[in-house]
Every structure is written in C-alpha cells, then in structure tokens.
Amino acid sequence: MGDGIPGAADPRRSLPAVHRVLAAPALARLADVPPAMRREAAAAALARARRRLTAGEGPAPGPDELAAAAAADLEGRRRPSLRRVVNATGVVLHTNLGRAVLAPQAVAAAAEAASAYTNLEFDLGAGERGSRSAHVEELLCQLTGAEAAYVVNNNAGAVFLFLRAMAQGREVVVSRGELVEIGGSFRVPDVMAESGARLVEVGTTNRTHRADYERALGPETAGLFKAHPSNFRVRGFTAEVSPAELASLAHTHGLWAAMDLGSGLLVPAAGLDEPVVADLVASGLDAVMFSGDKLLGGPQCGVVAGRREVVERVRRHPLARALRVDKMTLAALAATLALYRDGRASEVPTLAMLSLGERELARRALALARALRRDLGGRAEVGVARHTSRAGGGSAPDAPLPTALVTVRPLAFSAHRLARRLRLGEPPVVARVWEDAVVVDPRTLLPGEARIVRERLRSALAEEGEGT
Ligand SMILES: *Cc1c(COP(=O)(O)O)cnc(C)c1O
C-alpha cells in the first residue's frame, strides 16, 4: 500500500473529520470536559483508527464509534488512580488491596474530621494546646490493659521508634527464630539496624532457650525483644521463650522486654491462632507494638502500648514528630476502638468476615453460582468447591478458614484472560485463578458486591475472545 499518498480506494479517506467526531453524542455529552481535552481525545481516536486501517484491519469506523472510544478514553484518564476494587480473593487482610475495610462508624468519623476543624491538638477545657494522641490513648489502655499507649503512622514505625528511643547505640537480644522478613520487605534486623540498636542474635532457627538469652547479656544490653514470626512458622522440634519468661528474665537483670506482635488482635477470635494484645501486656512485657489495620480492623497506624515510663520515652523522642498520625486516622481509630469498648466488635468488618461460618459461606456461594449459571449462558462452566480463605496480613497463617468458592471456567478463552478482564473493568474485581477457573470467595465480598461480580463476569465473558 502506497503509504503517505493514499489512493482513491484508501479506506483512511472515509474516516470522518474531527469536528464530526466531536459532535457525536458520546463526546458532545461530556460538556464538563474542557474542549481541548475532548478534541485531543477525538484526534487520538482518529489516529488509532488510521493506524489500524494502515495495517489493513477492518472497515473505517464512523463518528459515533470514534466518539465512544474517545469518551471511554477520557473517562479512563479522569478516573482516580487509587480507587475501590472488589476483593474476591478471600484474603481478608490483603495488604495489596489496602488491608482492613473500616466500619461505617469509622468512615463517618474520618469524614467528619476531614470536613471541619477539629480539636486535634487543642484542649477544649483549658483552651490551650493539647496532645493529638490523647484522643485514643484512654481507649487503647482500657482495651489492652496497658498503662499508656502512643500511636504512630504504622507498626513498622512503632517498632522503629521504640528501638530508637529505648536502644539506640546499645544491644538488643533477639531469637534467630524471629528474625523474619514480612511481606512488603519489613525485616526485623533491618529496622533494628536503622534504629541504631545493635542486634544480638541468640539460639537457632528452631530452638531458643532462656539460657541463650542469658548468655548474651552484658553491659551493653538495653533489652530483650520478641517478634511475631508473622506469615512464617517453624514446626516440629521447636522451643521458644514465652513472653512472660522473657519479661521475668529481663526484669531480673534490670532490662526491658518488648514484643512486635504484628497483628493487634484485641478480642479472642474463633478459629484464629493469634495472641490477644491484653494477654501479652498482662504477661509483664514492658511494651508491645501492633498494627491498626490488621486484625484490629481499623485504619493504617501502629501502636506502642505498655508501661507509662517506656511509652513516655517513645512519645518524647524527636522522631515521633516524623511518624505522627493524621486526624482522619485518629478519628477512624477512635471510632473503631469505641466499637470494641461497647461490645460491638462483631461489627468491625475484618472480624465479621473472619467469623463467617462455612454454612453461611456455602449458602452465599450456592446463591451466586445459581445466578451465574443463569447469567452466563453457555459461556462458562460454573461450580462450587470447598476450599479455605486466609486471614492475610501476616496473621494466623495456620488457621484454616473453611470456605466455599464459586468457580467460573470460561469456555472460549483462558481463566487468566478472564481474571485480567475482571481486573481491568470498572469497578475492578480481583480474583484468583485456580485449576483453569476464576474463583470467587464470598468471604471477602461486601454487601452488594455479589451483584457487581455477576455484572462484571457477564460483561467480561461477553467480550470477544481476542484482545485483553
Ligand atoms: C505486619 C507486621 C509489621 C509491619 O506492620 P505495618 O503496620 O505494616 O507497618 C511488623 N511486624 C510484624 C510482626 C508484622 O506482622
């Protein structure tokens, strides 16, 4: 084909002019989009069509088709990058998907704090400057049994700040079995190194005894540190020193003992093999640190809870300013903690999802599968299978959370292609692929989302087999 000098029969000549594309309803409707942006999108759609025609693909599209493509483009570009997705993975605390979903009360509190002035650092009684962390400290103390608590940006920050304030330039003794890396490259030894504390490793990967810690003590020792091994378990011939033993050993030598709990489980949860914060505080540890957006089910933040004197040192450290939390986080955390205080922990979405029983999940899976068989015609094979969900967020890796999955096996193309289409639509649906099927775990679907999954599956399976 004579490129550049289109002949009389060149289909590119039948492409409409830009002004006709702009006048087509799909673009004309977008009156709130600046004219220059609309023109640019129309020109881009025309350029793409011209390239396709040059490659010998298909007939020339008309103005309506081009305007629709340009409008879809504009909508995609104006869509925020960070947006809601449907989590069909069954991983309740999915770090890549934003971990905990907040309770409505916490959402409302964060919105109110954001939309008006607040007494964030203002003591209304005294009419003078107050402390921002004070808004949640009393609740945290009440729920954990700690004398004092301080909140920072996340748990990694809490561990860092604690070590910086309590051990900079000195030694901290840790069991080798607890020097783990947590998803997202949080490594206990690295955080410790950055804090300026010197790590002294004791024991072996599978066994650490009281005598191992004892032998490591010296004039440079600041304290003894334990870390929850998170999503890692050592099984079989193992031994570790309990928090209570560690605390008693530390206190015998005039040292502190502290633990990074990872997940901050505030109340015992059925089926979860995770320590409850209050039990660890009661075991005599001087400080515990945990995340706000893991099993606690609140906003992203990190808590240091423990003896008053220790928490005060952390609070007064100059770097505390660099790790401070914002007002929306504090408002959401306070509202989440209030649910626990009021005996309404079951309304915290994270705990509600984790406590869903197998029977209820099977009921939801069967209902969704039945609807999908109607919706999807002969485009996919729909089934229900027993499987397990995961808590995620590095917590309770062993706890089996029995669930019922809906399996959708497309007939015209691969399950991976279907999963990709589900991710790329609006709203994106994130689902796992298992044995050639896209699988939907009803455990992590929020109210109303089963319907969205149905609609998205229907349109993803109706698209042509080619392309994305
Ligand atoms: C998740 C986790 C962290 C990091 O917590 P963030 O809130 O993500 O900063 C640290 N330690 C342990 C043991 C964890 O499980």
Side-chain angles (χ1 to χ4, degrees), residues 358-369:
E358 203 176 353
R359 185 190 289 261
E360 172 61 17
L361 289 162
R363 193 189 64 72
R364 294 185 191 185
L366 288 167
L368 178 57

Side-chain angles (χ1 to χ4, degrees), residues 1 35 56 78 128 192 236 246 255-256 313 326 330 348 353 356 358 382 421 434 458:
M1 188 181 319
R78 296 209 305 163
E128 57 191 40
M192 206 165 269
L246 198 73
L255 306 167
W256 53 255
R313 269 175 75 175
D326 79 309
L330 284 167
V348 174
M353 287 182 201
L356 279 172
E358 203 176 353
V382 178
R421 286 183 181 179
W434 177 55
R458 187 166 34 199

Side-chain angles (χ1 to χ4, degrees), residues 232-267:
F232 176 78
R233 284 287 183 279
V234 182
R235 265 173 265 256
F237 187 57
T238 64
E240 66 169 312
V241 175
S242 74
E245 264 180 285
L246 198 73
S248 106
L249 174 61
H251 298 158
T252 308
H253 295 271
L255 306 167
W256 53 255
M259 181 164 179
D260 170 14
L261 302 181
S263 242
L265 185 62
L266 289 182
V267 294

Side-chain angles (χ1 to χ4, degrees), residues 8 14 26 59 68 117 139 177 196 247 255 273 319-320 358-359 375 382 404 409 427 434:
S14 52
Y117 291 103
L139 274 170
L255 306 167
D273 175 26
L319 278 175
E358 203 176 353
R359 185 190 289 261
D375 291 348
V382 178
R409 193 167 286 121
W434 177 55

Side-chain angles (χ1 to χ4, degrees), residues 369-454:
R370 213 176 305 123
L372 285 173
R373 281 192 199 106
R374 271 200 312 273
D375 291 348
L376 304 180
R379 297 179 197 275
E381 218 172 79
V382 178
V384 171
R386 299 176 78 149
H387 209 273
T388 50
S389 320
R390 284 191 295 135
S395 36
D398 285 343
L401 292 169
T403 193
L405 300 175
V406 178
T407 62
V408 180
R409 193 167 286 121
L411 300 180
F413 49 88
S414 75
H416 283 286
R417 173 169 288 180
L418 178 59
R420 179 175 152 79
R421 286 183 181 179
L422 290 173
R423 292 197 305 272
L424 291 178
E426 195 53 39
V429 171
V430 182
R432 287 186 288 174
V433 171
W434 177 55
E435 293 183 355
D436 288 335
V438 164
V439 293
V440 174
D441 188 334
R443 186 186 297 275
T444 46
L445 296 184
L446 299 170
E449 287 188 339
R451 183 184 302 268
I452 296 176
V453 168
R454 279 175 60 185

Side-chain angles (χ1 to χ4, degrees), residues 99 154-156 182 186 228 230 260-262 291 293-294 301 393:
R99 289 198 189 151
N154 59 9
N155 187 36
I182 292 142
F186 175 93
H228 187 296
S230 199
D260 170 14
L261 302 181
S291 290
D293 58 348
K294 289 187 179 171
C301 60

